[in-house]
Structure formats: structure tokens, C-alpha cells
Amino acid sequence: MLVDVPEAEAVGISRVQGDVQDLTKLVNDFSLESTTTTDKKDKLTDGQAEVRTVLEDFTKCSHSHLWKLMMSFYDRKGPDSWSQGIVPHFITCNTYIAKSYAQILHGFIRDCYRPNSKIKLVDTEPLYIIELGAGSGKFSYFMLKALEEMQDVCDFPFSNMKFIMTDFTEANFKFWQNHSALKRYFESGHLDAGIFNAVTDTSITLWKSGVVLRQGSCVNPIIIVANYLFDTLYHDIFQVDGGVLKEGLVSVGSKHPEEPDPLHPDIIGRLDNQYKYIPIDTSYYSDEEGDEKHLQRILNWYLQYFQNSTNGASILVPIGAIRALRHLGTFSNNRALVISGDKGNNNPEQFSGLMDPHIAVHGSFSLMVNYHAIGAWFTSRGGFALHNPQEEASLKVSTFMLTPEYFFEGPDEVAPDMYLGSSLPQLDKSRYQHFPHLLRAFTDFVDQFGPNDFFVLQKSLKEDLANPPLRTVASILKLSDWDPDVFFKFRDTLLAQTPTCGQKLRNDLCRGIPRLWANYYILDTDKDIAFEIGRFYYGIRDYESALKYYKESIAGVGEHHVTFHNQGLCYYSLGQPESALLHFKKALSMSAEYEKARSWIEKVQNDLAMQQQSVQVVPPPPPLAQDNAATVITPPVEF
């Protein structure tokens, strides 16, 4: 017989029930709308004029103090930026987006093996997949895992795929080196890492192999992945006002009267910027390593497009992203596939109107990425852009192809006006038709239902339904390929409904749990996936499996009094009171105020005392005929 436990403990005690506060932080994404110098007026508070500390006078945005604050934030916070929930990251660090990117890469590889392919791959040479701003390393793990699982259907050998994690902070680099989930990939040679400032560095020295990636070092084209990065790299500000192109200059300031440490990350939360705009011409960029004409084409495009607009236009040019892509492109003689996801726009109509830049603050800060300008740069350089036309999206995903200039057409086949107006997307179309598998993959895994759609679906299911049906939760888990964060988000529904659901649905969920655990990338120790899986199994009375994951919780996250308490419940339910008592006592020793453990200790001690009395009254059974070993009968597990 199974031993019944009180109804309140039918799925094991949660950490919150165990008097542990939920440390999940909610990050508010808000904008700082600053006025121009000419519009700004003194604001009176209790008869005093507003005080503003000027950190820097008016200067070109890409040279401004803003970016020093950005670097300081990530350098000082390191992996805590993600593990403590300071910077939101789920939208670009989940199993769904990683598999989508892997499918796009797979489409590109298939095109490279077509007989008439414009780009060829050499099987015996490495195919480098370089992730810029890898941050926590979570996306890297998911995408590398997805590529590994696709190796049987991929034309290029997985053994020569080299995934390279990069970031500019030493703290993130050390975090990757010591992460258990990445260890086997580092050891197999499929994964390597290097410190790399995406805007200024021109080479990457790889940690494990010692290889230096630099100009001309890669035989195959490189793959570049950049998620939630371009919005944090240098930007320049422009406006088209009355048919005149203007540059936006920024004066960085703080709302505090004094700032002893001008690089303190907390300044980001109290920025008080001012802007002014001065006329320029389209030859604005004069020292860009041969990119001058391409950047002039971009500015010409916006000047012509908004020339007669009565509303004018406000445009950000992500010059930091363009410089990073230019430097990386030299590694492979300007042959690269780029996949990028960020918050931004690819429709120039979104730039209509005269306004100061929107700055989103979330611990650090970010700007909206102008994917249209990035795409125009690729097209001007000889490649093409694939944009998702969806306008209502928290995450825009675009794919770009970098090729040498005149790769698809001869010098005389592209007139200057083809880089203007509606001719630009037509030029893209004439080029990407040479990559039908890439186009098909982008259409299927971004346009029709992509990473943003997945994010919206799971978010809406959680926030708009108070009690979502278990079948629906199971479906979103399967769609996510059993993403641990999705499981954690819907754990209450799973714990409440699984014990009473039908056998078939319960079996489906149980089949997915091992996959979920294989996808686990430990980052936030307050989000203890092993502990919640233990509670799931306890709820369906699979106490042995519950114990396994409670032990994984202790090994991965550390000892916790509630974990020991729940182990005690498992042992008690399995008819092992001595082991149960040991774990309840351990829980109480870690938290002297934990009354649940104290109550269970008293209950188990009483049970053991009653058993002892029964042993003294009832004579022992005769010895077994076949041998002298006692037979232990384990209670059956009921589902």
C-alpha cells in the first residue's frame, strides 16, 4: 500500500510555501523622451529650478558617453545581467528560436551544394558559426544542440562545424568556461570562445584551439548570429526636415545634481539627454575603410524617400553593427550569412515624423535597430536582405547575405538609381532567388510562424488565461521542443492538473520530461528546474523519479531545506520512514523555524514507535525455506 500524505502536500511543498520569497524580477521597459535644447525649459519643484548634471556636451551620437555607460554596465554586471533578470532574454534564448536559426542555416547549406550554386562549401575546412554578444551562452547551447541533432540530414559534416561564442567582457567568458552544459562541446572541439569587441576588434583568438580568426583566414563563408546585440552598439542620429538632411547631436546628462562616478551603471536609470540637429550632406561618413560610398547610398535613400514629406523623418543608422559586420566579413573574403533578431524596424514608414530617439531602459538601455539600413548596406555591398514584413512584433528577425561587390551582376548591370526607392527591394529579390532553400527556410521558420509568434503565443497563454487547459500547455511545450523556461512558466498548471488528467495525456507529458531536462541550461538559480520536475513526479506518485530530480536540484543549485523536506515526503510515501526521518531532520536543521518539517518529524517518530511496539507483540515469522534473506516488498507505483 501507498502511504497517504495530507492533500496540501500532494505535489510536494513549493519553495514559496517553504517561506522562500520569489526573487523573480519584473523588468519595466520604458522610454526616456528628451527634448531638444531649444525646447527645454526650467521645471520648478518647490520653487527650485530643475538640476541636471552634464556628463558630456553635444557630440556625435556614435562617439557619445552613452556607449561608455553601456560597456560599463555589462562589464560590471557580467552574467548577473541575465541570471538575476536585470536584462530580459527569454525571447532570444529559447529552444524554438535556436531551432529556427538552425533551419535557416540548413537551408543555406543545401543551396551551397546545388550544382549551380554561387557559393561553395569545402567539407574538409571548418564552417565557423560566430555568435556576437553571446551573453549568458544559453542561445549558443540551444543552437549548437539543434545543429548536432540535424547532422544526419545536413550535407555539411557536423564534425567541421565550429560554433564560436564571443563577447567583450571577461566575466561572461569565464562563465562559459565553467558551465557544465557547454563542457562536452568545448571538449569535442565543436565549441570555442574568444573575447571580441564587435565594433573595434579585427580578429578573434580562440580559447581552446588557439586559432586566430582574422582577415582572409576562413576558406568557407562564415555564419554570423547576433541577437539583442545591434540595439546596444553605436548608433548615429539623423533627421530629414523640410527636405534637408540633419545630424542629431546628443548631450548626455543625469537627473542627479552630482555624479562622482560618470561610468556608474545606475546613471542609465536617470539619464537626462538633450538633442540638437544641424544640416549635413550625404557624404557624412568619410573614414569607414572603403564603406563611404555604401553609407552615402543609405543616406541618399532616406533623403530621397522623405524629400517631400511634410512630417519629415527621424532615422537611426546602426553604424556600430555595420562596422562589426564589415570587420567580420574580411575573415572570409566578404562571404557571410548573417541571422539577427532584435527589437527594431525594417519598414521605413516607421521613421516618419520628427522626434528624439526612443531609449528603452532595462537595467542597461537599447535603441530600436534600423534593419532597413542594415539591409541596404548588404545590398549596396553586393548581397541581399530577407526581412520579415510583420510590423506588430517585439522581435524582428532578418537574414542577410554578404558577398563581394558585383558578385551577382557585372559593374555595368547595376545603375546608381537601383540603390534608391523601390528599386532596392527588387535588387534583393533578383539575388536571393539564387538561394531557394534559404528563402524557403526563412519563409517557413520566420515569416509564417517565427520566433516572435512563438513568444507571443506562450506569453498570451500565460497572461490571458487564468487556468489554461493542460492539453494546451502540453501543446505549447511540444511546440517549444520542451523548453525548460516554458515548463517553469506553466508549472502551476502542470502540478495542479496532471495528477487528475487522463492516462494518455499524462504519458505524453512524462515522455517529454527527459527531453526537457536535456535542454536545461542552468543560469538563474532561483529558477530551479530540477526541483519543479521533482514536484511534477511527486504529484503523479512516481516517487523514485521525484527523488532523482530532487538530488539533481541539490547537485546543481545547492542544498535547500524545502528540497530535503520533499525528499522526506517521497521516502515516507515509499514506506521508508527511517530515510524520511533523516531528511525531515536535515530540513529542520537548515531552517529551525520550518514547522512543516517539525510536524513530520513528530509524525514519523510516532509511526516508528508504533511499529516497534507491533514487532514486540507479534512473534517473528519462520525463516524462509529457500534462504535466510529477508524479502523486501516495494509498494507499487500508481499513476
Side-chain angles (χ1 to χ4, degrees):
M1 292 179 59
L2 289 170
V3 182
D4 289 331
V5 297
E7 182 178 353
E9 302 191 34
V11 293
I13 301 299
S14 72
R15 292 277 170 82
V16 176
Q17 289 172 307
D19 301 322
V20 176
Q21 295 297 318
D22 186 357
L23 300 179
T24 302
K25 294 178 173 63
L26 298 177
V27 179
N28 293 319
D29 188 0
F30 61 93
S31 63
L32 301 177
E33 298 294 345
S34 300
T35 57
T36 64
T37 305
T38 54
D39 292 335
K40 192 172 181 72
K41 298 180 180 179
D42 288 342
K43 300 176 183 179
L44 302 182
T45 304
D46 297 330
Q48 299 297 319
E50 178 184 327
V51 178
R52 173 179 181 267
T53 297
V54 178
L55 298 171
E56 183 180 53
D57 203 354
F58 288 100
T59 189
K60 185 177 181 176
C61 185
S62 59
H63 294 172
S64 75
H65 188 72
L66 284 171
W67 312 109
K68 296 176 184 177
L69 284 170
M70 173 81 71
M71 299 277 284
S72 175
F73 172 85
Y74 285 107
D75 192 45
R76 297 190 192 190
K77 298 293 184 181
D80 288 347
S81 304
W82 298 275
S83 65
Q84 295 182 6
I86 301 171
V87 176
H89 63 278
F90 171 76
I91 193 170
T92 56
C93 291
N94 59 72
T95 49
Y96 187 89
I97 188 173
K99 292 189 74 172
S100 298
Y101 282 24
Q103 290 288 351
I104 292 171
L105 174 53
H106 184 227
F108 168 72
I109 290 172
R110 290 186 67 189
D111 285 323
C112 291
Y113 282 93
R114 296 175 71 219
N116 59 345
S117 174
K118 286 282 188 178
I119 295 179
K120 300 292 186 181
L121 294 178
V122 180
D123 291 6
T124 55
E125 292 290 335
L127 179 64
Y128 288 105
I129 305 161
I130 303 172
E131 184 182 3
L132 301 180
S136 68
K138 195 172 186 178
F139 173 87
S140 310
Y141 172 69
F142 287 150
M143 185 171 178
L144 186 52
K145 189 168 180 288
L147 291 171
E148 181 183 29
E149 292 172 352
M150 293 172 63
Q151 61 181 305
D152 291 339
V153 296
C154 186
D155 295 318
F156 190 87
F158 181 67
S159 59
N160 274 337
M161 288 187 184
K162 311 295 181 184
F163 198 104
I164 311 301
M165 302 167 67
T166 71
D167 215 321
F168 72 92
T169 65
E170 188 74 25
N172 288 347
F173 183 73
K174 290 179 179 177
F175 181 75
W176 309 332
Q177 289 176 311
N178 298 316
H179 201 289
S180 58
L182 302 176
K183 182 178 180 181
R184 73 180 181 92
Y185 291 118
F186 277 129
E187 292 177 348
S188 69
H190 289 103
L191 181 63
D192 215 324
I195 300 292
F196 182 66
N197 184 316
V199 177
T200 60
D201 290 349
T202 57
S203 65
I204 308 172
T205 300
L206 302 184
W207 164 58
K208 289 291 288 186
S209 66
V211 171
V212 179
L213 301 181
R214 56 164 67 97
Q215 183 173 354
S217 63
C218 301
V219 173
N220 284 318
I222 61 171
I223 315 301
I224 302 170
V225 176
N227 287 329
Y228 266 9
L229 175 74
F230 292 163
D231 63 340
T232 63
L233 301 183
Y234 304 166
H235 286 64
D236 281 323
I237 305 167
F238 300 95
Q239 287 187 348
V240 178
D241 184 4
V244 176
L245 181 66
K246 296 182 178 180
E247 171 196 18
L249 303 177
V250 58
S251 170
V252 179
S254 165
K255 295 176 182 177
H256 276 200
E258 294 182 358
E259 292 292 1
D261 179 0
L263 293 178
H264 198 290
D266 289 351
I267 293 175
I268 293 172
R270 49 182 180 264
L271 283 171
D272 188 7
N273 298 334
Q274 296 180 0
Y275 300 89
K276 69 178 182 181
Y277 298 87
I278 58 174
I280 58 166
D281 60 41
T282 57
S283 59
Y284 176 80
Y285 291 103
S286 59
D287 187 19
E288 290 294 334
E289 302 172 356
D291 255 353
E292 293 80 9
K293 75 173 181 179
H294 305 298
L295 293 168
Q296 186 171 10
R297 284 172 180 169
I298 293 172
L299 294 180
N300 277 329
W301 194 98
Y302 291 118
L303 180 59
Q304 186 208 53
Y305 191 82
F306 293 104
Q307 184 88 42
N308 300 316
S309 170
T310 57
N311 296 324
S314 301
I315 303 147
L316 289 171
V317 171
I319 189 64
I322 290 172
R323 288 170 181 163
L325 294 167
R326 181 173 70 228
H327 293 158
L328 288 167
T330 65
F331 293 4
S332 54
N333 298 315
N334 293 318
R335 295 166 304 131
L337 175 74
V338 180
I339 313 172
S340 177
D342 220 315
K343 57 187 188 63
N345 297 300
N346 56 47
N347 182 349
E349 288 300 319
Q350 300 297 320
F351 309 142
S352 180
L354 299 177
M355 64 201 77
D356 294 328
H358 170 99
I359 297 181
V361 176
H362 36 66
S364 180
F365 72 90
S366 58
L367 297 170
M368 298 291 282
V369 178
N370 182 349
Y371 274 120
H372 177 267
I374 294 176
W377 178 80
F378 276 96
T379 307
S380 180
R381 290 286 302 255
F384 61 82
L386 290 171
H387 294 303
N388 177 7
Q390 182 179 0
E391 294 188 34
E392 180 59 41
S394 300
L395 181 75
K396 289 284 191 178
V397 175
S398 291
T399 294
F400 309 99
M401 182 72 73
L402 179 65
T403 64
E405 198 169 2
Y406 308 119
F407 185 77
F408 291 97
E409 310 91 3
D412 299 330
E413 296 180 72
V414 184
D417 60 359
M418 293 187 70
Y419 297 107
L420 297 174
S422 59
S423 297
L424 196 65
Q426 292 303 317
L427 199 53
D428 282 334
K429 185 176 181 179
S430 69
R431 294 171 178 175
Y432 63 60
Q433 66 183 3
H434 293 284
F435 294 84
H437 294 298
L438 172 64
L439 178 61
R440 183 72 261 164
F442 186 83
T443 301
D444 290 346
F445 296 100
V446 175
D447 274 1
Q448 294 183 352
F449 189 92
N452 182 76
D453 304 299
F454 167 72
F455 175 75
V456 171
L457 184 62
Q458 58 84 34
K459 187 173 186 287
S460 178
L461 181 60
K462 176 63 178 177
E463 296 179 358
D464 298 340
L465 292 179
N467 189 27
L470 186 60
R471 281 188 175 85
T472 307
V473 172
S475 296
I476 198 72
L477 276 168
K478 291 177 68 178
L479 181 64
S480 75
D481 189 24
W482 298 93
D483 186 281
D485 283 331
V486 176
F487 169 81
F488 189 84
K489 182 173 290 189
F490 292 98
R491 65 192 185 281
D492 291 340
T493 298
L494 289 160
L495 294 172
Q497 297 186 32
T498 303
T500 57
C501 74
Q503 184 69 45
K504 293 179 180 178
L505 180 55
R506 188 183 304 168
N507 289 345
D508 290 340
L509 290 167
C510 289
R511 272 192 293 272
I513 294 297
R515 176 72 175 175
L516 185 148
W517 181 244
N519 285 333
Y520 182 41
Y521 184 91
I522 188 168
L523 180 62
D524 182 354
T525 55
D526 294 320
K527 192 180 290 184
D528 188 347
I529 300 299
F531 177 83
E532 299 300 339
I533 295 176
R535 295 180 66 210
F536 169 85
Y537 277 121
Y538 185 91
I540 61 174
R541 299 192 178 192
D542 184 350
Y543 304 118
E544 295 284 359
S545 294
L547 283 169
K548 171 187 171 182
Y549 284 99
Y550 285 138
K551 291 173 183 176
E552 291 282 4
S553 170
I554 292 170
V557 176
E559 295 185 348
H560 195 286
H561 65 279
V562 178
T563 310
F564 283 109
H565 175 83
N566 285 0
Q567 285 182 298
L569 295 176
C570 290
Y571 283 116
Y572 186 85
S573 301
L574 288 168
Q576 301 177 36
E578 293 85 358
S579 295
L581 183 61
L582 181 67
H583 285 80
F584 289 136
K585 286 183 176 180
K586 178 66 174 178
L588 189 63
S589 71
M590 295 181 67
S591 178
E593 306 300 320
Y594 193 37
E595 292 300 323
K596 290 183 175 65
R598 193 184 308 277
S599 299
W600 272 97
I601 288 171
E602 183 178 345
K603 174 178 174 55
V604 176
Q605 286 176 336
N606 289 338
D607 289 351
L608 288 172
M610 292 180 63
Q611 288 180 17
Q612 185 65 28
Q613 292 174 2
S614 299
V615 169
Q616 294 174 355
V617 172
V618 179
L624 298 174
Q626 63 273 26
D627 57 37
N628 294 323
T631 302
V632 179
I633 301 176
T634 303
V637 176
E638 296 180 4
F639 292 94

